[in-house]
């Protein structure tokens, strides 16, 4: 029993190592080629949404034949398929739409942070909350005004994060291998 567990742990470090290298390479690709990486990720996510919507329709159809379905079960899957088709067939339009939505959300969140800061005027750290709100408003405006730049910045930041995570996974795999030796 103990020997079997040791063999399983020993083979597991290889999977962690491969995972780390895949994350590292993905991060490098995303950081070096941010637009191509973002378009590829968006298209892949679109394909995933199309498949998810198709499965959702099948589940809704089976539930309806068993008498347990609802009309709402037939609304979500086609909507997911529509959004997925847009992301898959026109990833640049999908990315711009996501950035504009995120920019609007960020702008509104920043306005609420500024309002909350003025409501806390005179209390401890209200100035930091005001500064954070103003920076959030500025980020929202930038995202709405230049969605292409926002895509590039997010892609590079996400790529760098993947590089660090991949490097950490490689380090963990090497440590696992040494512990098994």
């Amino acid at each position: 029993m103990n020997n079997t567990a040791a063999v399983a742990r020993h083979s597991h470090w290889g999977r962690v190592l491969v995972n780390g290298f895949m994350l590292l390479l993905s991060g490098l690709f995303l950081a070096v080629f941010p637009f191509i990486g973002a378009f590829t990720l968006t298209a892949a996510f679109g394909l995933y949404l199309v498949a998810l919507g198709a499965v959702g329709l099948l589940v809704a159809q089976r539930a309806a034949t068993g008498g347990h379905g609802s009309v709402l079960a037939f609304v979500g899957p086609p909507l997911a398929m529509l959004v997925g088709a847009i992301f898959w067939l026109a990833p640049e339009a999908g990315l711009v739409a996501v950035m504009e939505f995120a920019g609007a959300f960020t702008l509104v969140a920043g306005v609420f942070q500024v309002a909350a800061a003025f409501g806390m005027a005179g209390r401890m750290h209200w100035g930091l909350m005001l500064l954070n709100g103003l920076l959030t408003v500025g980020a929202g405006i930038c995202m709405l005004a230049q969605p292409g730049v926002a895509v590039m910045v997010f892609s590079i930041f996400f790529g760098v994060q993947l590089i660090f995570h991949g490097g950490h996974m490689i380090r963990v795999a090497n440590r696992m291998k040494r512990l098994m030796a």
Side-chain angles (χ1 to χ4, degrees):
M1 175 74 178
N2 197 9
N3 192 20
T4 307
V7 169
R9 283 192 304 260
H10 185 68
S11 65
H12 186 68
W13 75 265
R15 292 185 195 127
V16 174
L17 184 68
V18 169
N19 186 19
F21 274 117
M22 295 292 285
L23 288 171
L24 184 74
L25 291 175
S26 299
L28 284 171
F29 182 77
L30 201 54
V32 173
F33 306 109
F35 287 113
I36 295 171
F39 291 155
T40 304
L41 183 65
T42 303
F45 183 66
L47 195 58
Y48 170 75
L49 284 177
V50 169
L52 189 68
V55 170
L57 278 177
L58 289 174
V59 169
Q61 188 266 334
R62 284 192 180 177
T65 58
H68 302 320
S70 75
V71 174
L72 291 178
F74 287 97
V75 174
L79 187 60
M81 290 174 74
L82 176 67
V83 171
I86 292 169
F87 281 8
W88 183 24
L89 299 173
E92 63 280 345
L95 276 174
V96 168
V98 167
M99 281 300 124
E100 288 175 348
F101 178 76
F105 182 80
T106 304
L107 180 64
V108 170
V111 168
F112 278 109
Q113 287 175 349
V114 169
F118 281 124
M120 292 177 47
R123 293 188 180 164
M124 188 174 187
H125 303 299
W126 79 274
L128 289 175
M129 183 178 260
L130 177 65
L131 178 64
N132 186 33
L134 291 172
L135 290 173
T136 304
V137 167
I141 291 171
C142 289
M143 291 168 72
L144 286 170
Q146 294 291 328
V149 173
V151 167
M152 185 180 72
V153 169
F154 283 127
S155 295
I156 292 171
F157 282 164
F158 189 63
V160 168
Q161 199 154 32
L162 286 177
I163 290 168
F164 280 113
H165 190 65
H168 175 70
M169 295 291 283
I170 292 168
R171 197 175 115 237
V172 166
N174 286 330
R175 188 169 284 183
M176 288 172 67
K177 182 181 178 185
R178 278 197 308 267
L179 287 174
M180 292 296 118

